[in-house]
Amino acid sequence: MTNSTSLRTHSCGQLGAAHVGSRVTLAGWVARRREHGDKLAFLDVRDFSGVMQCVIDDGTDARSEWVVQVTGTVTARPAGTVNANLSTGEVELTDCTVVVLNAAEPPPFPIDQRADEVDENIRLKFRYLDVRRERMQRNLRLRASVNSAIRTAMEGQGFVEVETPLLMPSTPEGAREFLVPSRKEPGSFYALPQSPQLWKQLLMVAGVDRYYQIARCLRDEDLRADRQYEFTQLDAEMSFVTKDDVLAAISRAVLAAAHAATGETPPPIEQITWHDAMNRFGTDKPDMRFAMELVELTDAFVGTAFKAFASAPSIKGIRVDAATYPEAAAIGRNKLDQLTERAKQLGAKGLVWIKVGDAGALESPVAKFLSDAEKSSLVAALGATSGDLLLLVADEWSTTCAVLGQLRNDLARPPVHEGPYRYVWVVDFPLFIGINPTTKKPQPGHHPFCHPHPDDLVKMESDPLHVRALAYDLVLNGWELGSGSIRIHEPELQRRVFQLLGIDDETADRKFGFFLQPFRYGAPPHGGFAFGIDRLVAILAGEENIREVIAFPKTQSGLDPMTNAPGPVDVGQLNELGLRTLPRPAN
RNA sequence: GGUCCCGUGGUGAAGUUUGGAGUUCACGCCGGCCUGUCAAGCCGGAGGUCGCGGGUUCAAAUCCCGUCGGGACCGCCA
């Protein structure tokens, strides 16, 4: 690849000792000017590739962020003036001619590492200046190479890139949609896709066999560090496959992306069942970089006199190991009260804390209610030693898992980008995740097109909550990267699932007719997956926030400080769309 | 919808707890000096509605109420 254009012969960062003696022309921005009188000034010229020091002896005025074109001779720096901190630090440009291509106002913040400390709102307001910085250039280029590796991996496996519509009918299940008013059909609306889910399944019916797309998805839900209104997924679907075929194909793309970003290929991605993930880590997106696993204690308290434990279906505990987490294990009464409050917010009735004293004596407000046998089996089960802090929750199984899983994260989870990358497939998700309190019907865990596990079909009606789905998630360091499933391709089974959900034929036809009718014409067995590229790239880039790997992101309230979107529109535009706005509700 | 943190020259901070003149530090900016620096150095200067509104007070960056904006999280994200 060459960086030369009509206005330059090289890029700044590519020059080095090998170019000494060459006459070159660079173009870029003035990163810094160091003046030593009329006869000598150093101009650091920056472009996307790096910085080159230019020695100026004619007093040319060129200040921070002015756009310049510099022609000079690549020269080895004099002894003692080499800058080891700069990739181009062995050389400099001498005998320079500077052409000012554009002057510039002083930037609102320094275009270097110091801007990491600048208020993010200001960075976003001047995002075009923020992106000039090395960190953002690196992140965007990392993202591009991840995209490229994914494309190569998918195409190498026979996946065909197909673009799918952004304007589609509203299918109001799931995430809140962005709506687009129709001009030709006033009062009617398109929806923007939450994902290309329906389209890609139709492509399987259409015989495409293997589809992929680096697809933009849009969801009108509240924003977070790992969530934007619009985000990008690798979306894929394949025909005539089982779960393992899908996991293998997606694994290749993920590992290729990781290799492109880090230069290293991670080990094969391990698998854990959803039930094991919940049991051991208390969450369906386990962060397996650290231990502190949940320990089953229900059997240790059979027949206990302690009322809070006596009738609980599930008792679990975690051990905050004093050797690994000295600060967390040694927290005082005040912090323990806060932990208890946190547990209650998470749905627990309470939190039992036990401190293990020097002689192994248990110190706890509830110690007096526990028998010696219970104490010793508790200590044995948790492997507790002096100085440890033990946290116990007794409740429904799902609650003990969820509460302790969250406390485990609160107490010991490192920042998402730190430490080794621990990819894990979470498999065998339940088909339903509980009963809707109003409709009394089961709620789908993923979407209603997930294929039930064939072994569990017999208990679909009798015991729906214990039916597994052929559904799976990909998790990295405690972040859900994505999910997928084998889909239902048999109309009869689909009808059966809809019936369980309380969706009759007529309703199903009205809501999903355009999607279901094609399945009558011979749908192949198929399944797929989608994972979030923003999240993957953020972690691989060492960022804790996906905004850092998006060129123009929105703030947490969904605004763009640079363009001021969203904004009002002309009444004429509204009239054309047949729309009228309501006054904003008074506060 | 909720909880918590933040808002002070262009930028980052200190000052707020315990009210007393827009006070301070660093960077940047403007001018001067300076021939080997590299986040150059030295000297001088400019630059402010302390987010906004209201209240308490003789007096508010500081205390109270409201509001706007930013961030983290809960809800939400089939």
Side-chain angles (χ1 to χ4, degrees):
Chain A
M1 190 194 77
T2 174
N3 290 319
S4 79
T5 70
S6 301
L7 293 188
R8 71 179 179 214
T9 60
H10 295 76
S11 64
C12 298
Q14 79 178 104
L15 296 177
H19 298 84
V20 166
S22 306
R23 191 75 183 163
V24 302
T25 299
L26 303 175
W29 288 262
V30 176
R32 192 151 295 278
R33 177 191 180 88
R34 293 178 293 280
E35 237 181 70
H36 294 256
D38 288 344
K39 297 269 169 43
L40 176 65
F42 298 99
L43 221 55
D44 287 344
V45 176
R46 177 190 64 237
D47 66 14
F48 68 95
S49 66
V51 166
M52 171 59 76
Q53 171 167 289
C54 304
V55 185
I56 308 300
D57 54 14
D58 64 358
T60 305
D61 192 17
R63 305 183 180 209
S64 286
E65 302 309 314
W66 286 26
V67 186
V68 295
Q69 181 187 44
V70 183
T71 301
T73 305
V74 180
T75 310
R77 292 196 187 186
T81 67
V82 167
N83 185 348
N85 297 322
L86 215 56
S87 68
T88 59
E90 286 184 58
V91 295
E92 61 189 7
L93 278 201
T94 56
D95 298 317
C96 289
T97 310
V98 178
V99 177
V100 174
L101 300 174
N102 219 343
E105 292 180 20
F109 53 82
I111 311 299
D112 57 34
Q113 277 185 351
R114 286 171 293 184
D116 291 345
E117 310 301 321
V118 170
D119 188 297
E120 196 182 346
N121 205 34
I122 294 171
R123 289 176 56 205
L124 291 181
K125 186 170 180 180
F126 300 92
R127 190 60 154 181
Y128 42 86
L129 298 180
D130 192 33
V131 173
R132 271 184 206 167
R133 302 188 308 127
E134 196 255 339
R135 174 193 187 184
M136 295 302 295
Q137 291 280 327
R138 186 176 63 233
N139 286 354
L140 294 183
R141 286 162 199 280
L142 180 83
R143 183 176 181 137
S145 66
V146 163
N147 276 354
S148 175
I150 287 172
R151 286 184 194 284
T152 303
M154 296 306 282
E155 281 163 19
Q157 299 181 87
F159 286 83
V160 177
E161 184 175 8
V162 181
E163 293 169 86
T164 54
L166 286 178
L167 298 174
M168 60 183 289
S170 168
T171 49
E173 280 68 26
R176 188 181 297 114
E177 299 170 317
F178 284 97
L179 296 177
V180 179
S182 160
R183 175 176 58 85
K184 298 230 179 211
E185 295 285 343
S188 289
F189 295 83
Y190 301 96
L192 301 176
Q194 307 163 32
S195 80
Q197 180 67 36
L198 305 181
W199 303 111
K200 66 177 175 180
Q201 289 192 242
L202 295 187
L203 287 171
M204 295 303 100
V205 178
V208 168
D209 195 69
R210 292 188 183 190
Y211 143 91
Y212 89 99
Q213 182 179 195
I214 292 181
R216 196 69 63 88
C217 307
L218 300 106
R219 296 179 187 174
D220 188 4
E221 299 290 352
D222 287 359
L223 285 59
R224 289 280 195 284
D226 60 351
R227 276 157 46 182
Q228 284 271 305
Y229 281 154
E230 14 181 344
F231 59 99
T232 307
Q233 291 192 333
L234 168 71
D235 191 52
E237 195 78 8
M238 34 199 325
S239 293
F240 307 112
V241 291
T242 64
K243 175 198 77 176
D244 292 332
D245 296 314
V246 177
L247 299 196
I250 300 298
S251 290
R252 284 191 195 98
V254 171
L255 297 182
H259 181 265
T262 67
E264 290 173 17
T265 301
I269 301 176
E270 60 196 300
Q271 291 188 24
I272 183 173
T273 65
W274 175 86
H275 194 267
D276 279 354
M278 295 303 293
N279 246 343
R280 292 171 53 195
F281 301 99
T283 172
D284 59 6
K285 42 182 178 180
D287 189 337
M288 295 170 65
R289 290 173 298 168
F290 64 105
M292 205 191 282
E293 293 190 21
L294 280 52
V295 175
E296 182 60 52
L297 298 170
T298 314
D299 289 346
F301 292 100
V302 171
T304 183
F306 181 36
K307 279 185 185 169
F309 283 8
S311 58
S314 165
I315 303 168
K316 284 177 179 290
I318 55 175
R319 163 180 170 248
V320 183
D321 173 18
T324 315
Y325 309 100
E327 283 181 24
I331 59 174
R333 188 59 189 261
N334 202 12
K335 287 284 180 67
L336 288 167
D337 287 346
Q338 287 176 22
L339 266 189
T340 305
E341 198 49 44
R342 171 83 165 144
K344 286 180 179 172
Q345 283 171 1
L346 293 164
K349 295 183 190 69
L351 178 69
V352 168
W353 59 261
I354 299 170
K355 288 198 164 195
V356 185
D358 285 340
L362 301 188
E363 176 194 329
S364 168
V366 307
K368 56 178 177 279
F369 301 119
L370 304 180
S371 72
D372 288 345
E374 286 165 356
K375 287 178 184 170
S376 57
S377 55
L378 161 74
V379 166
L382 284 160
T385 56
S386 293
D388 292 353
L389 170 65
L390 312 178
L391 300 172
L392 277 61
V393 172
D395 213 302
E396 296 293 330
W397 176 79
S398 58
T399 305
T400 57
C401 292
V403 172
L404 287 172
Q406 188 59 56
L407 293 183
R408 170 180 178 269
N409 277 342
D410 289 352
L411 290 168
R413 186 171 172 219
V416 64
H417 61 276
E418 246 179 41
Y421 301 113
R422 285 296 296 270
Y423 299 84
V424 56
W425 289 111
V426 181
V427 301
D428 289 349
F429 267 71
L431 189 63
F432 305 110
I433 50 158
I435 303 291
N436 184 313
T438 42
T439 66
K440 309 292 183 201
K441 300 290 184 185
Q443 296 176 293
H446 190 44
H447 55 59
F449 316 117
C450 265
H451 204 294
H453 196 293
D455 295 347
D456 296 345
L457 282 173
V458 288
K459 50 184 176 184
M460 281 257 288
E461 285 76 14
S462 56
D463 187 13
L465 294 187
H466 288 99
V467 174
R468 289 165 294 169
L470 296 176
Y472 30 85
D473 276 9
L474 177 62
V475 174
L476 170 56
N477 293 4
W479 269 16
E480 180 193 324
L481 285 188
S483 57
S485 62
I486 299 297
R487 328 295 185 186
I488 299 171
H489 65 279
E490 314 95 316
E492 193 50 44
L493 180 59
Q494 184 68 68
R495 194 169 299 124
R496 202 171 147 197
V497 170
F498 276 147
Q499 260 169 14
L500 271 168
L501 296 172
I503 302 173
D504 59 33
D505 287 356
E506 187 195 346
T507 310
D509 193 55
R510 181 161 40 81
K511 286 185 170 177
F512 302 109
F514 79 95
F515 174 68
L516 295 175
Q517 186 184 358
F519 280 70
R520 303 205 301 248
Y521 292 98
H526 63 285
F529 198 81
F531 68 80
I533 290 177
D534 312 84
R535 290 181 181 177
L536 176 62
V537 172
I539 294 173
L540 292 174
E543 300 285 2
E544 297 184 56
N545 190 311
I546 65 171
R547 293 188 297 274
E548 303 295 353
V549 297
I550 297 172
F552 300 106
K554 307 265 188 299
T555 66
Q556 195 166 72
S557 55
L559 311 178
D560 178 356
M562 187 178 73
T563 64
N564 289 322
V569 296
D570 292 341
V571 173
Q573 283 178 280
L574 292 178
N575 286 342
E576 196 168 36
L577 296 166
L579 294 180
R580 199 184 306 153
T581 57
L582 295 170
R584 295 188 70 154
N587 291 312

